[in-house]
Amino acid sequence: MIAPTRNLVAELNARARAHRLNHRPAVSEVPLADGNRASVGDVIITRTNDRRLRLAPTDWVKNGDRWTVTHVGQQGDLRVRHTRSQHTVRLPADYVRESAGLGYATTIHTAQGVSADTMHGLATGQETRQQLYTMLTRGRAANHLYLQVVGDGDPHTLIRPETVAPRTPTETLQQILARDDAPTSATTLLREPTDPAARLFDAVQRYTDGLHVAAEQLVGPQLVQMLDSQADKVVPELTNEPSWPTLRAHLLALAAETGEHPLLHLHTAAAGRQLHTAGDMAAVLDWRLPDPAATEPGPLPWLPGIPEALHDHPVWGQYLANRAELIADLAAHVRRDANEDSTPPVWATPGSQPSVALISEVEVWRAANAIDRTDHRPTGAGQLQAAAALWQHHLDRGVADCSDDLSRLDARAHQAARKHRRHEDQQRIPPPLATRPSSAPGPGR
C-alpha cells in the first residue's frame, strides 16, 4: 500500500499487521519508531543510514531498505533479512526504537525501487505526474489506485473551491497529470512569485477568508457555536452537505449585518420549497438567502463587497479595503497581459474568435480560481455559490456564442459548397441526357 502521509502509513501498517496476525497476539514483539510493534514474520523498513551495520563489505543498512523479521531478541533487538539481497543483519534495540517502522505501507518517495505483486495506492490529488507514475509501476501483477474525493477536515480549507465543489475522480486524475515537478530554471522560479495570475488566487482566498473571519468575530463565538450545533435540527444532515461551509459563511455575514440570529435566517430560507430532492441542500439554501448589503461592489464581479457592518470597523475595515484593492490591481494586470497576448487561449474552440474583452474576463476568472493552464474547459468545474455560478454561466454563455457563430458560419459555408458542387455536376452532364426522360427509347430503336 502506498499512502500520501507518514501518519496514514503508520495506520495502514498497523491494520496490515493485525490482518496478518488475524488478531492473535504475537509471542514476542518489540516497539518501533512509528508507534507500531513488530514480531517474527513482519516486514519492517529502516529510516536511517548506518554504515556500522554491515550486510557485506560494500553494503550496509540504509534508509528505505525493507526487511523481514526472523528473530526477536530479549533486549528489543531484531535479526532481519533483506527482502531483495537476502542478506541478514542484527538491528540493535536503540536503532529499532528510533529508526525502524512497519513496511507494509509506505509513501511514494520511499516506494521508489520497490516491487510487489499487487500495489494499492491512495492519492489525494496533490501528487505530480511523476509521483503517479512511480505509484502505478510498483505492482508486477496489478496496480490499484484509490482517490480521495472528500475534504481532509482542516477548518482552514473549508472555503477553498476544491472543498466547496469537490472534483470528480476524472478531474482529479487530470489535475495530477497536469502537475509537473520537473526541474525548472532559476528565471522561471523568480518570475512566478511576481506573476499577477499566480498571485490573484491567493489574494482572492485571503479576501474571502477575511470576510468570513470578521463576520464570525462580530457575531461572537456563542452564536457561531449555536449555529454549528443546531443547523442539523433545522435541516437534517445539512452540515454534511458539500456547500455547508459556503452557506455557513453566508448566514454569519447576514447575522453580522442585521444583528439577527443566523438560525433565524436559516429557518427563513428553509421555509421555502422542499429540499429533500436537492442534490446539495446547502447550495439551494445559499441561493435563497439575500446578499449582505455592501457599501460598494466587490473587487471582482462575483466577489461580495465589504458589508456595511465591516466597512468602518477599526480593524477589519482597512484590512479588507487593502485586500480588495490588491485583487482589483492584480486583475487589471491579468487583463492587460491577456490583451497583449496574441496566442489563442487553450480553451478557445479552434477557428473561433472570442473578443478581447471576453478573453480578458475568462483569464481573470481562471487565475482567480486557480484553474490549471492546460484545462480546456473555459471556466473549469461548476461553482455552487450563487454569485460565482451566475458569473460562470455568463462567461460560458459568451464562449458558447463564439462557438455557435462559428458553427453557423460553417453550416452556411457547407450549404453554399453543396449548391456549388450540385451546379457543377449539372454543368458536366450532356444536355440530351440531362433532358431525356428515363423511359425514353435509346438510339436506333
Side-chain angles (χ1 to χ4, degrees), residues 69-202:
V69 178
T70 60
H71 176 75
V72 177
Q74 295 182 355
Q75 304 300 322
D77 57 305
L78 295 176
R79 173 67 62 175
V80 295
R81 182 178 63 250
H82 199 282
T83 56
R84 299 180 66 182
S85 69
Q86 302 303 309
H87 291 156
T88 61
V89 69
R90 174 186 170 274
L91 300 179
D94 57 348
Y95 184 94
V96 172
R97 289 192 302 269
E98 297 174 2
S99 301
L102 288 179
Y104 298 105
T106 182
T107 60
I108 297 176
H109 294 290
T110 310
Q112 295 189 24
V114 176
S115 296
D117 292 336
T118 302
M119 187 285 303
H120 295 270
L122 176 62
T124 64
Q126 302 304 314
E127 293 78 11
T128 64
R129 66 174 72 176
Q130 289 84 358
Q131 291 175 324
L132 184 65
Y133 174 82
T134 299
M135 178 187 293
L136 294 179
T137 53
R138 299 306 93 199
R140 289 183 289 264
N143 291 279
H144 302 277
L145 179 63
Y146 305 86
L147 295 175
Q148 176 180 309
V149 294
V150 297
D152 56 7
D154 185 350
H156 296 90
T157 64
L158 287 178
I159 62 172
R160 295 180 67 88
E162 61 267 26
T163 306
V164 177
R167 293 181 175 89
T168 65
T170 300
E171 291 171 345
T172 300
L173 287 175
Q174 290 174 339
Q175 179 187 23
I176 294 174
L177 294 174
R179 186 179 294 111
D180 188 0
D181 67 350
T184 56
S185 65
T187 55
T188 299
L189 293 175
L190 289 173
R191 183 176 64 251
E192 287 182 348
T194 60
D195 181 13
R199 295 175 58 197
L200 183 56
F201 172 73
D202 181 67

Side-chain angles (χ1 to χ4, degrees), residues 116-398:
D117 292 336
T118 302
M119 187 285 303
H120 295 270
L122 176 62
T124 64
Q126 302 304 314
E127 293 78 11
T128 64
R129 66 174 72 176
Q130 289 84 358
Q131 291 175 324
L132 184 65
Y133 174 82
T134 299
M135 178 187 293
L136 294 179
T137 53
R138 299 306 93 199
R140 289 183 289 264
N143 291 279
H144 302 277
L145 179 63
Y146 305 86
L147 295 175
Q148 176 180 309
V149 294
V150 297
D152 56 7
D154 185 350
H156 296 90
T157 64
L158 287 178
I159 62 172
R160 295 180 67 88
E162 61 267 26
T163 306
V164 177
R167 293 181 175 89
T168 65
T170 300
E171 291 171 345
T172 300
L173 287 175
Q174 290 174 339
Q175 179 187 23
I176 294 174
L177 294 174
R179 186 179 294 111
D180 188 0
D181 67 350
T184 56
S185 65
T187 55
T188 299
L189 293 175
L190 289 173
R191 183 176 64 251
E192 287 182 348
T194 60
D195 181 13
R199 295 175 58 197
L200 183 56
F201 172 73
D202 181 67
V204 168
Q205 297 304 306
R206 290 175 182 270
Y207 174 74
T208 54
D209 185 57
L211 289 174
H212 299 160
V213 174
E216 283 195 21
Q217 287 191 3
L218 288 184
V219 170
Q222 184 176 0
L223 291 184
V224 172
Q225 183 179 6
M226 189 175 298
L227 172 63
D228 292 336
S229 61
Q230 300 294 321
D232 286 339
K233 296 182 179 179
V234 179
V235 179
E237 302 296 327
L238 180 62
T239 58
N240 293 328
E241 296 289 79
S243 294
W244 164 245
T246 301
L247 173 62
R248 178 181 182 272
H250 198 162
L251 291 168
L252 293 175
L254 288 174
E257 176 198 2
T258 63
E260 298 175 343
H261 201 290
L263 287 174
L264 177 62
H265 295 286
L266 180 58
H267 274 286
T268 303
R273 295 186 300 273
Q274 60 182 3
L275 291 170
H276 69 274
T277 58
D280 187 337
M281 296 183 294
V284 174
L285 293 174
D286 181 64
W287 278 73
R288 295 179 182 178
L289 292 172
D291 291 328
T295 55
E296 55 188 24
L300 291 175
W302 67 92
L303 293 181
I306 303 174
E308 294 179 357
L310 295 174
H311 188 270
D312 297 324
H313 192 275
V315 176
W316 289 106
Q318 189 59 46
Y319 172 83
L320 294 173
N322 292 340
R323 287 293 173 189
E325 183 179 357
L326 176 61
I327 292 173
D329 182 59
L330 292 174
H333 280 79
V334 173
R335 292 188 184 97
R336 184 196 62 195
D337 293 343
N339 292 341
E340 296 175 353
D341 190 359
S342 59
T343 305
V346 67
W347 48 265
T349 304
S352 64
Q353 296 182 346
S355 66
V356 174
L358 178 61
I359 293 176
S360 300
E361 293 306 321
V362 172
E363 291 303 322
V364 168
W365 170 273
R366 290 171 68 90
N369 290 280
I371 298 174
D372 193 276
R373 296 183 179 183
T374 62
D375 194 334
H376 289 264
R377 297 172 299 176
T379 59
Q383 297 287 321
L384 297 179
Q385 198 269 337
L390 289 174
W391 187 252
Q392 183 181 32
H393 176 75
H394 166 72
L395 295 177
D396 285 336
R397 183 67 264 173

